[in-house]
Amino acid sequence: MYRKPSLSAQPGPSVSRGVTVTLQCGSEIWFDTFHLHREGSLDPPQHLHLQNTSEPSQANFTLSPVSSGHQGTYRCYGSNSSSPYLLSQPSDPLELVVSGVIPKPFIQADPGPIVTKGSPLTIWCQGSLQASAYLLYKERGSEPWETRIPQDSSDKAGFFIGAMTPFHAGLYQCAYYTTGDILSERSDPLLLVVTGEYSAPSLSAQPSPVVASGGNVSLSCSSNFTSGPFHLLKEGGADLPQHMEAEWRIHTGRWWAIFPLGPVSTSHGGTYRCYGSPSSNPNVWSQPSAPLHIEVTEPLPKPMLWAEPGPVIPRGIPVTISCQGTQGTKEYRFEKEGSPPSWNSQKPQQPGDKAKFSITHMTDNDAGRYRCYYLSRTNWSEHSDPLELVVTGAYSKPRLSALPGPVVTSGGNVTLQCGSEQGFHRCYSSSSTSPYLLSLPSEPLELLVSGPIVTKGSPVTIWCQGSLQASAYVLYKERGSEPLDTRIPQDSSDKAGFLIGATTQSHAGRYQCAYHTTGDILSQRSDPLLLVVTGVDSAPSLSAQPSPVVASGGNVLLLCSSRVTSGPFHLLKEGGADLPRHMEAEPKMHAGRWRTIFPVGPVSPSHGGTYRCYGSRSSNPNVWSQPSAPLHIEVTGVHREPTLSAQPGALVLPGHSLTLQCHAEAGFDRFALTKEGGLTHPQRLDGQRSPNFPLGHVNRTHGGRYRCYSGHHRSSAWSAPSAPLDILVAAQPGRSVARGGTVTLQCGSEIWFDTFHLHREGSLVPPQHLRLLNTSAPSQANFTLSPVSSGHQGTYRCYGSRNTSPYLLSQPSDPLELVVSGLKWNLIILIGGLVALILLLSLLLFLLLRHQHQSKGRMSGVIPKPSIWADPGPIVTEGSPVTIWCQGSLQASAYVLYKERGSEPLDTRIPQNSSNKAGFLIGAMTSPHAGLYQCAYHTTGGILSERSDSLLLVVTGFYGAPSLSAQPGPVVASGGNMSLSCSSLFTWGTFHLLKEGGADQPQHMEAEPRMHAGTWQAIFPLGPVSPSHGGTYRCYGCSKSYPNVWSQASAPLHIEVTAYGTQDYTVENLIRMGMAGLILVVLGMLLFQARNDTRKTHDAARMELRGNNTPFRVGEPWRPSDDPRRLLQMKNRPPGDHHLYACLSILLPPPSPPSAHLRLQEEDTMTPTLKALICLGDFPKPSIWADPGPIVTKGSPVTIWCQGSLQASAYSLYKERRSEPLDTRIPQDSSNKAGFLIGAITQTHAGLYQCAYHTTGDILSERSDPLFLVVTGMGGAPSLSAQPSPVVASGGIVSLSCSSNLTSGPFHLLKEGGADPPQHMEAEPRMHAGRWQAIFPLGPVSPSHGGTYRCYGSSSSYPNVWSQPSAPLHIEVTGVHREPTLSAQPGALVLPGHSLTLQCHAEAGFDRFALTKDEGLTPPQRLDGQRSPDFPWAT
């Protein structure tokens, strides 16, 4: 991960319009490319590639001429060409201000501009970091409604409304003052709407809420109260509300508004609500209507129409016409050309997707052209393709013959006088006046098409057809003079068959036949028939170069190779009419393997498809091998290219979600995504039906260049690739602080929390907690770490909670990585010395190499030494292709490849297209290819360069995989030690250890026998480990005689390095001891001061505060109407009053000008800040609860109880922390509590309640803890299921999945009869299912988890209004008691029809038994218990 660069502006960040400004992005470490991005811009970042790559590096981005569009906040990133899509951390932000242009502020409402009456709301105004104050205006007034000062150098301020009322509805704008006292222009208007003031209207859809795509639907909103406009909203949509004036309908006595929708598309689907408002106050709306769900259906598929037994029917024969549509079809209709419309209609008797129409006796009138169509729930389908029903037997039969004869070789030509189809042929005649009335059929003519390619062991019949005068047929092979076999024709036939029951390789070859006439005359021989037998040798391999994905018009080479075959190769395309292609094998390349190349091109869509190849021996070319694995050729560029985009953008941080979207023209239903991998072409296009490719949470590997393709699912043809899209992954921002310094971690939230928790990942120390006294939103807590040590380094997250549910935390914040910098001086000196030593050695090595290079230059004319590498790498799986690349000079005329340092070249390649390199392809890697390779090149002057460095090529997959394990475990602390053990039953040579994705070379270790286990083993020590040792490892084995031929890879082993190991805390401990001593001294001073303060208690009780001669009596509550700056006087208490009092000091700003003076005992003069003392009595805090409980079904009664003191004279109930009580109750019969009854609860009753009480002295107690009242039954019930099963073993894990197609807010999980509070989880969309879902994990499971669960859904805007409950889900926990035994009576082997009883034997005391039957991998979904241990079965 790279450190962040720095960003500055020249001449400065504040410039005038029209001038030139240069943004300089620099770094102390080496980067060769810099990227500049303006926050909020949809344009891709600007890039600058540096030619000079020395350190430090800097790029200058020039903006000229500067305009208002350049104004904004900029960040820059650095990257290296070796990882072009992996960016550094972002620089600190730089705000570019264009003078004369003060940015227009932006205004928005949180959670939104449409707010329920009584709900809180914050209006945010965002301007500039130079803003000194923000002003809020209402209804375009000239005077600001309110003013706010931005906090903590923020560029925005919030205006909080605690409880929305109709008064707050209206039009708002905001502006701000800059530090130069310049007032910006006002923002765009924000319209704030208050709902819930009037009763809800009704909403319906005409003709139906289910509408076909492209159709029309009208949404009708009506009310008997609203006479002003109606408003229509779609839930969860970005569309603005629609408004329509109300119209009075006399016959209904209601006001109506019709909202037309259409032509509809899938985007119109969703949930709608409507509101009403009066004309006099259009921004105060009613309660919402009940939700209306609009479902948009796709166009119906075309039906299929066919006839049984077929479309050609003799007279008098019955026929059935079938029409197939979709499931749920309501009606089918058949039409016949020339007949009245709807010639026949049918309604399915039972749910199905087809209907049948029967014709009992086919007549001339029944012949003709038929079509059908069907009606679904919403609309009619299109017509089917026509079916032509033909009646035969109307005329006399014609004759049918074949020219030149009825026996023809596959690939040859034949002419049938009345048609052309394979099999038994007949022909008919008809009249143009009655095209569907045919004659009787001709006599049958059998057309025989020979199949000359036969699999070994399969039967085949060779047919010879001659004349009806033939008395015998003879078969010849390989043009021999003697017949191979003779057959007598049967039943006056003109042909005879020669059956081969099981074909072998001896049957392959050329065959001819002849026949004897009755006059014993021998006919001439037939044309030759070549019979090929396949499956004799092992299959060759077939690959495509450069790739099986080829552009239309391009060329591709199909490479067929085998280690067995030395004769010709044969290429066939499946399902095609093309003849096989044949090509001789070339034995000159790749020792131990033969190959040939079939060129294909220029490629067209017809070349797409599946290919196989066969091999054969030169001595027997008609005996072929088994077929190769299929190779699928896909042709691109046939259709117009799509476009590829990224959501939310192409620049993304690690851990954030990213989705790539492929946008194509209508009609395409298959999409593929490729990522460019250097010089390698895409090897396959994995098509999917969706154009969306979610990449999930992004990491470093996702960076790169992507393209997408579109196509049709029934074709191998694809579109041209889209324009490339570069995905840039920036480094996760971190924070660096020096050792010994102070750092403050700020945890903040826009919503209200009263407690924050800070946790360091991997730490065993419990999280830190901070409780806030101020509970207004937004809230923030500051966690200070001082002095910072290495122990503070790591990744932190924070959480929020409320004291009502202290153990229910919010979702975690994004991670923050804290890096502690600063090294000890001795370590710095050591590193400095090592660096100096390395530089000295590098200088000496440079001088030596320069001397050698000059010497060779004088001798050989300075020909550069070539470089060699393998693509995709030097470690290759058996059978996989690999290319050895040799790179030299543009003057190279030929490249030669050597193996094992041999004097003769293994192969030679001519460079193409003036390239400075050449590739040597190995189509399928085998063990003979493993070894040491070098390359050299000839220049145009005939000079041979020196050889390259050696490349060791290793082949894997020849033996069984070894096993790899870590001791003492795969999780190790940084600085610790561990060992990786690789062992195998097969390897007795060397073991090799590789780390995936790392640049480290493989480690090698000789195998040692483990006598007690009978295996060979090697131990690879790792340590002291650092974070760089973390990752995935695999190991391989090999024999001593073949060290470059390795086994299969072991299973992957993931090593995790934790952040902290053993450290020396001597210095830190000394600092802690010193701090502890200092704290003890301070505590002693505080105790001494407290002792002196105790002596002044009675003096404080006699304190007088003089002002306006108005006394403040102890026990009298302070009211907002009271002037806090008046003089207060404390009277002496009566001797019998022994209440204790606590005094709270409140700092208030002084009046302007000061109107009062505060004196303490006439001598102690206070500062200008006024200090008031408010004293409270020791009255108990009341408690609040709901009976029968806080979760109440809609329409049910509930009583809220408040319990305080016997001295309480009245109880008050508050809702949503308001200052005014909702209701007041007088306690009855000297009781210490009072009840507030809600007769029938509705959604308006849901929310947060508190209570307090007045004493007989008119003192108001503090408020109780909050009570959340939840109303259920307001929407459809979600579904609840358990994965993998509701039957779970003790200690296991089970996930409860709650899902709904209505709920988009949080889900809530409750256990019936349990004391645990409900669990809450935010909903996440499941795109493929069209539902919202939340997963509640349970585990490790204990017996207490067993029981019945239900879940509820709610909307984000009304989290206390829940849906109906889901069906109950019973979780059963197994493994709690000792297992029983199961036996069968009379035995486990039983005959059909016999009785069988299974008996479950358990220890004494058990009275419930259950029996399950294993169903594959599916765990039992339920345990049906019974009282008896016997389970009788009747087999």
Side-chain angles (χ1 to χ4, degrees):
M1 198 65 67
Y2 309 123
R3 296 177 60 186
K4 63 183 180 184
S6 61
L7 182 62
S8 61
Q10 296 297 330
S14 181
V15 295
S16 300
R17 184 197 302 263
V19 303
T20 298
V21 64
T22 300
L23 303 187
Q24 296 179 338
C25 185
S27 173
E28 296 297 328
I29 62 175
W30 170 70
F31 290 124
D32 59 17
T33 306
F34 286 90
H35 314 264
L36 182 68
H37 180 62
R38 179 162 59 90
E39 292 185 359
S41 173
L42 299 179
D43 298 328
Q46 300 182 46
H47 312 285
L48 269 184
H49 189 74
L50 306 184
Q51 301 298 327
N52 180 17
T53 56
S54 60
E55 298 180 7
S57 49
Q58 177 177 294
N60 296 328
F61 296 88
T62 302
L63 307 180
S64 178
V66 171
S67 66
S68 59
H70 290 104
Q71 183 162 287
T73 301
Y74 289 81
R75 294 178 186 265
C76 74
Y77 305 78
S79 69
N80 291 321
S81 55
S82 57
S83 302
Y85 304 105
L86 182 62
L87 307 188
S88 70
Q89 298 179 16
S91 68
D92 291 332
L94 172 71
E95 183 172 7
L96 187 65
V97 178
V98 181
S99 60
V101 180
I102 300 177
K104 182 178 181 179
F106 173 73
I107 191 171
Q108 63 179 352
D110 185 18
I114 301 176
V115 192
T116 305
K117 178 182 176 183
S119 299
L121 174 79
T122 300
I123 300 176
W124 288 97
C125 183
Q126 184 171 11
S128 168
L129 289 173
Q130 282 71 38
S132 59
Y134 286 86
L135 294 80
L136 184 66
Y137 300 86
K138 185 178 180 188
E139 304 299 346
R140 306 185 190 274
S142 58
E143 295 297 322
W145 196 52
E146 197 170 353
T147 304
R148 284 285 184 273
I149 306 300
Q151 303 296 321
D152 301 327
S153 303
S154 175
D155 64 345
K156 63 182 177 182
F159 299 85
F160 180 65
I161 301 175
M164 273 302 271
T165 66
F167 167 75
H168 295 109
L171 208 65
Y172 290 82
Q173 289 176 289
C174 73
Y176 64 92
Y177 282 100
T178 65
T179 50
D181 206 22
I182 300 175
L183 182 63
S184 72
E185 66 174 309
R186 294 191 183 184
S187 66
D188 292 331
L190 168 69
L191 181 62
L192 221 56
V193 172
V194 178
T195 70
E197 184 68 12
Y198 315 106
S199 57
S202 62
L203 181 64
S204 60
Q206 300 298 330
S208 168
V210 181
V211 58
S213 179
N216 294 280
V217 64
S218 297
L219 304 189
S220 175
C221 188
S222 65
S223 171
N224 52 5
F225 301 103
T226 300
S227 60
F230 285 98
H231 316 274
L232 180 69
L233 274 81
K234 180 183 176 186
E235 292 187 358
D239 301 332
L240 294 175
Q242 298 184 46
H243 313 284
M244 192 78 68
E245 286 297 326
E247 297 180 357
W248 177 254
R249 292 190 177 181
I250 303 297
H251 63 284
T252 61
R254 296 173 67 87
W255 296 86
W256 291 77
I258 306 297
F259 295 88
L261 292 183
V264 300
S265 63
T266 53
S267 63
H268 288 92
T271 301
Y272 291 79
R273 294 178 184 266
C274 76
Y275 301 78
S277 65
S279 302
S280 58
N281 202 351
N283 300 324
V284 178
W285 294 3
S286 68
Q287 297 177 15
S289 68
L292 174 65
H293 188 70
I294 298 298
E295 181 181 351
V296 179
T297 61
E298 292 296 331
L300 297 174
K302 179 191 292 187
M304 294 177 57
L305 184 65
W306 72 94
E308 295 176 354
V312 181
I313 309 295
R315 281 181 176 177
I317 301 299
V319 64
T320 300
I321 304 175
S322 299
C323 181
Q324 184 170 11
T326 60
Q327 289 288 344
T329 296
K330 294 183 176 181
E331 182 180 353
Y332 286 91
R333 291 187 179 179
F334 294 86
E335 289 185 352
K336 180 187 175 188
E337 289 186 1
S339 298
S342 301
W343 171 72
N344 185 274
S345 63
Q346 290 188 16
K347 293 184 178 180
Q349 299 299 319
Q350 56 187 6
D353 62 350
K354 62 183 176 182
K356 296 182 178 180
F357 169 71
S358 297
I359 301 175
T360 56
H361 298 283
M362 195 71 180
T363 65
D364 296 351
N365 293 329
D366 296 322
R369 184 185 292 247
Y370 291 80
R371 295 176 185 268
C372 74
Y373 56 102
Y374 61 94
L375 174 67
S376 70
R377 291 187 302 165
T378 57
N379 59 327
W380 289 95
S381 72
E382 62 178 312
H383 285 69
S384 67
D385 292 332
L387 169 68
E388 292 185 350
L389 213 57
V390 175
V391 178
T392 67
Y395 312 102
S396 61
K397 62 183 179 181
R399 294 183 58 191
L400 177 64
S401 61
L403 295 176
V407 179
V408 60
T409 305
S410 178
N413 297 299
V414 66
T415 299
L416 301 183
Q417 290 181 344
C418 289
S420 178
E421 289 191 36
Q422 189 171 333
F424 283 91
H425 291 257
R426 296 174 184 261
C427 72
Y428 303 80
S429 61
S430 67
S431 171
S432 59
T433 57
S434 302
Y436 302 112
L437 298 180
L438 306 187
S439 68
L440 293 171
S442 66
E443 295 296 332
L445 172 67
E446 186 178 5
L447 183 64
L448 302 175
V449 180
S450 59
I453 301 176
V454 187
T455 305
K456 178 184 175 183
S458 300
V460 64
T461 300
I462 301 176
W463 288 94
C464 184
Q465 185 171 16
S467 168
L468 291 173
Q469 284 74 36
S471 59
Y473 288 85
V474 289
L475 184 67
Y476 301 88
K477 184 179 181 187
E478 303 300 346
R479 304 184 190 275
S481 59
E482 294 297 323
L484 182 68
D485 199 1
T486 302
R487 284 288 185 272
I488 307 300
Q490 304 295 322
D491 301 327
S492 302
S493 175
D494 61 348
K495 63 178 182 284
F498 299 84
L499 174 65
I500 302 174
T503 305
T504 65
Q505 62 188 64
S506 62
H507 294 109
R510 291 181 182 272
Y511 291 83
Q512 290 177 293
C513 74
Y515 61 93
H516 291 274
T517 65
T518 51
D520 202 20
I521 299 174
L522 183 63
S523 72
Q524 69 179 90
R525 294 190 182 185
S526 66
D527 294 329
L529 168 70
L530 181 62
L531 199 63
V532 173
V533 178
T534 69
V536 175
D537 292 320
S538 58
S541 63
L542 181 62
S543 61
Q545 296 298 332
S547 167
V549 180
V550 58
S552 179
N555 294 280
V556 65
L557 302 177
L558 303 189
L559 175 65
C560 187
S561 64
S562 171
R563 70 179 69 177
V564 179
T565 301
S566 61
F569 287 96
H570 316 274
L571 180 70
L572 278 79
K573 181 183 177 187
E574 292 186 358
D578 300 331
L579 295 175
R581 296 172 60 182
H582 314 283
M583 193 79 70
E584 287 296 326
E586 298 177 359
K588 69 175 185 178
M589 177 56 181
H590 306 301
R593 205 166 182 92
W594 300 78
R595 72 165 191 183
T596 194
I597 295 178
F598 296 92
V600 178
V603 170
S604 67
S606 63
H607 289 97
T610 303
Y611 291 79
R612 295 179 185 264
C613 78
Y614 300 77
S616 64
R617 301 178 187 270
S618 301
S619 57
N620 202 350
N622 299 323
V623 177
W624 293 2
S625 67
Q626 297 178 15
S628 68
L631 174 67
H632 192 65
I633 299 297
E634 296 176 288
V635 182
T636 66
V638 179
H639 312 294
R640 184 177 178 182
E641 73 278 358
T643 59
L644 183 62
S645 63
Q647 296 297 331
L651 178 61
V652 62
L653 290 175
H656 289 205
S657 295
L658 177 68
T659 298
L660 301 186
Q661 296 178 335
C662 190
H663 309 275
E665 297 176 346
F668 290 96
D669 58 1
R670 193 166 62 129
F671 303 88
L673 181 71
T674 63
K675 180 182 178 184
E676 294 187 4
L679 299 175
T680 306
H681 294 78
Q683 297 300 305
R684 187 179 178 187
L685 294 181
D686 293 315
Q688 65 177 40
R689 300 302 291 269
S690 172
N692 297 327
F693 296 86
L695 301 186
H697 297 293
V698 172
N699 56 42
R700 300 174 61 181
T701 62
H702 288 93
R705 175 164 291 182
Y706 292 81
R707 297 176 187 266
C708 76
Y709 300 79
S710 59
H712 300 282
H713 70 280
R714 294 183 179 178
S715 172
S716 298
W718 292 87
S719 69
S722 67
L725 175 66
D726 291 339
I727 298 300
L728 304 177
V729 181
Q732 183 68 38
R735 296 295 184 267
S736 178
V737 62
R739 180 195 297 266
T742 299
V743 64
T744 300
L745 305 185
Q746 295 179 338
C747 184
S749 172
E750 297 297 332
I751 62 174
W752 168 71
F753 288 122
D754 58 19
T755 306
F756 287 91
H757 314 262
L758 180 68
H759 179 61
R760 190 181 78 231
E761 292 184 359
S763 173
L764 299 179
V765 180
Q768 300 182 45
H769 311 285
L770 270 184
R771 180 78 179 268
L772 305 183
L773 296 178
N774 181 16
T775 57
S776 61
S779 49
Q780 177 178 295
N782 297 330
F783 295 87
T784 302
L785 307 180
S786 178
V788 173
S789 67
S790 58
H792 289 104
Q793 183 163 293
T795 301
Y796 290 80
R797 293 178 185 267
C798 73
Y799 305 77
S801 69
R802 297 172 180 169
N803 58 8
T804 56
S805 303
Y807 303 106
L808 183 63
L809 305 188
S810 69
Q811 296 183 11
S813 67
D814 292 333
L816 173 70
E817 184 176 3
L818 187 65
V819 179
V820 180
S821 61
L823 299 173
K824 296 183 178 180
W825 280 108
N826 56 354
L827 184 57
I828 295 175
I829 294 173
L830 176 60
I831 292 176
L834 290 175
V835 170
L837 180 60
I838 291 173
L839 290 176
L840 180 60
L841 292 176
S842 300
L843 179 60
L844 293 175
L845 180 60
F846 170 74
L847 293 175
L848 177 61
L849 294 176
R850 183 180 180 187
H851 176 71
Q852 292 179 350
H853 184 69
Q854 289 174 347
S855 300
K856 290 184 179 180
R858 290 190 294 268
M859 297 174 61
S860 60
V862 193
I863 300 176
K865 179 180 179 179
S867 59
I868 189 172
W869 72 93
D871 183 20
I875 302 175
V876 189
T877 306
E878 181 194 22
S880 299
V882 65
T883 301
I884 300 175
W885 288 95
C886 183
Q887 185 171 9
S889 169
L890 290 173
Q891 284 72 37
S893 59
Y895 287 85
V896 288
L897 184 67
Y898 301 89
K899 185 178 181 189
E900 304 299 347
R901 305 184 190 276
S903 59
E904 294 298 321
L906 182 68
D907 199 2
T908 303
R909 283 288 183 271
I910 307 299
Q912 303 295 321
N913 302 326
S914 304
S915 175
N916 65 341
K917 63 185 176 184
F920 299 84
L921 173 66
I922 301 175
M925 191 75 177
T926 65
S927 57
H929 295 115
L932 212 63
Y933 290 83
Q934 289 177 291
C935 73
Y937 61 92
H938 291 276
T939 66
T940 52
I943 301 174
L944 181 65
S945 72
E946 66 175 308
R947 294 191 182 184
S948 67
D949 294 331
S950 299
L951 168 70
L952 180 62
L953 213 56
V954 173
V955 60
T956 69
F958 274 83
Y959 317 109
S963 61
L964 182 62
S965 60
Q967 299 298 331
V971 181
V972 59
S974 180
N977 294 282
M978 70 184 313
S979 298
L980 303 187
S981 172
C982 186
S983 61
S984 172
L985 293 171
F986 308 101
T987 300
W988 63 92
T990 308
F991 286 99
H992 314 272
L993 180 69
L994 275 79
K995 180 183 176 186
E996 291 186 359
D1000 301 332
Q1001 296 292 329
Q1003 300 183 45
H1004 314 284
M1005 192 79 67
E1006 290 295 325
E1008 297 181 357
R1010 299 170 64 195
M1011 299 302 181
H1012 62 284
T1015 61
W1016 296 80
Q1017 183 186 42
I1019 306 295
F1020 295 88
L1022 291 184
V1025 299
S1026 66
S1028 63
H1029 287 92
T1032 302
Y1033 291 79
R1034 295 179 185 264
C1035 76
Y1036 301 78
C1038 69
S1039 67
K1040 293 181 178 179
S1041 53
Y1042 298 100
N1044 301 323
V1045 179
W1046 293 3
S1047 68
Q1048 298 176 14
S1050 68
L1053 174 66
H1054 188 70
I1055 299 300
E1056 181 179 353
V1057 181
T1058 58
Y1060 308 103
T1062 304
Q1063 301 181 20
D1064 185 5
Y1065 294 103
T1066 303
V1067 177
E1068 288 84 348
N1069 288 334
L1070 290 175
I1071 295 174
R1072 294 187 185 103
M1073 292 175 65
M1075 292 297 295
L1078 180 61
I1079 291 173
L1080 288 175
V1081 173
V1082 173
L1083 286 177
M1085 295 174 64
L1086 292 175
L1087 288 174
F1088 180 76
Q1089 179 68 30
R1091 183 171 177 271
N1092 290 336
D1093 290 343
T1094 305
R1095 297 174 180 175
K1096 300 179 181 179
T1097 301
H1098 297 288
D1099 296 335
R1102 291 190 297 271
M1103 179 179 64
E1104 291 184 354
L1105 301 169
R1106 299 185 180 91
N1108 295 332
N1109 297 323
T1110 303
F1112 175 71
R1113 292 182 297 276
V1114 174
E1116 178 180 351
W1118 179 81
R1119 294 177 295 275
S1121 61
D1122 295 332
D1123 184 359
R1125 297 180 178 89
R1126 68 185 178 177
L1127 298 181
L1128 305 176
Q1129 183 178 17
M1130 180 178 289
K1131 301 294 184 179
N1132 293 330
R1133 298 285 297 169
D1137 196 345
H1138 301 297
H1139 285 292
L1140 299 179
Y1141 291 87
C1143 295
L1144 173 65
S1145 176
I1146 301 178
L1147 297 180
L1148 299 174
S1152 179
S1155 59
H1157 301 280
L1158 181 64
R1159 294 182 298 167
L1160 180 61
Q1161 294 186 351
E1162 301 294 332
E1163 288 102 4
D1164 190 7
T1165 303
M1166 302 294 288
T1167 61
T1169 302
L1170 177 66
K1171 182 179 292 186
L1173 297 177
I1174 301 175
C1175 301
L1176 303 177
D1178 62 341
F1179 300 106
K1181 179 180 180 178
S1183 59
I1184 189 172
W1185 72 93
D1187 185 19
I1191 301 175
V1192 190
T1193 305
K1194 176 186 175 184
S1196 300
V1198 64
T1199 301
I1200 301 176
W1201 288 97
C1202 183
Q1203 183 172 8
S1205 168
L1206 291 172
Q1207 285 74 34
S1209 59
Y1211 287 85
S1212 299
L1213 184 66
Y1214 301 86
K1215 185 178 180 187
E1216 306 297 348
R1217 304 185 187 274
R1218 294 174 184 164
S1219 58
E1220 294 299 322
L1222 181 70
D1223 198 1
T1224 302
R1225 287 287 185 271
I1226 307 299
Q1228 303 296 322
D1229 303 327
S1230 303
S1231 174
N1232 66 341
K1233 63 183 178 183
F1236 299 84
L1237 174 65
I1238 301 175
I1241 197 163
T1242 66
Q1243 64 185 59
T1244 59
H1245 295 109
L1248 187 139
Y1249 291 83
Q1250 289 177 290
C1251 72
Y1253 61 91
H1254 290 271
T1255 65
T1256 52
D1258 201 22
I1259 298 174
L1260 181 65
S1261 73
E1262 66 174 308
R1263 294 190 182 184
S1264 66
D1265 291 332
L1267 166 71
F1268 280 98
L1269 208 59
V1270 173
V1271 178
T1272 70
M1274 300 305 296
S1279 62
L1280 181 63
S1281 61
Q1283 298 298 330
S1285 167
V1287 180
V1288 58
S1290 179
I1293 304 292
V1294 65
S1295 296
L1296 304 189
S1297 171
C1298 188
S1299 65
S1300 170
N1301 55 2
L1302 303 176
T1303 299
S1304 60
F1307 285 97
H1308 317 274
L1309 180 70
L1310 276 79
K1311 180 182 176 186
E1312 293 187 357
D1316 299 331
Q1319 298 184 47
H1320 314 282
M1321 194 77 69
E1322 285 297 327
E1324 295 183 356
R1326 296 172 63 196
M1327 299 302 182
H1328 63 280
R1331 296 174 68 86
W1332 296 81
Q1333 181 186 44
I1335 305 294
F1336 296 88
L1338 292 185
V1341 169
S1342 65
S1344 63
H1345 288 94
T1348 301
Y1349 291 79
R1350 295 178 184 266
C1351 78
Y1352 301 77
S1354 65
S1355 68
S1356 301
S1357 53
Y1358 301 99
N1360 298 322
V1361 178
W1362 294 3
S1363 69
Q1364 298 179 18
S1366 68
L1369 176 67
H1370 191 65
I1371 299 297
E1372 298 175 287
V1373 182
T1374 65
V1376 179
H1377 311 294
R1378 186 176 177 182
E1379 73 277 1
T1381 59
L1382 183 64
S1383 63
Q1385 297 296 332
L1389 181 60
V1390 61
L1391 292 174
H1394 289 208
S1395 296
L1396 176 67
T1397 299
L1398 301 183
Q1399 296 178 335
C1400 188
H1401 308 276
E1403 296 176 348
F1406 289 96
D1407 59 359
R1408 194 163 64 120
F1409 303 88
L1411 182 70
T1412 64
K1413 180 181 179 183
D1414 288 351
E1415 299 290 347
L1417 299 177
T1418 305
Q1421 297 299 306
R1422 186 179 177 187
L1423 295 181
D1424 294 316
Q1426 64 177 40
R1427 301 298 296 269
S1428 171
D1430 297 334
F1431 296 87
W1433 278 7
T1435 63

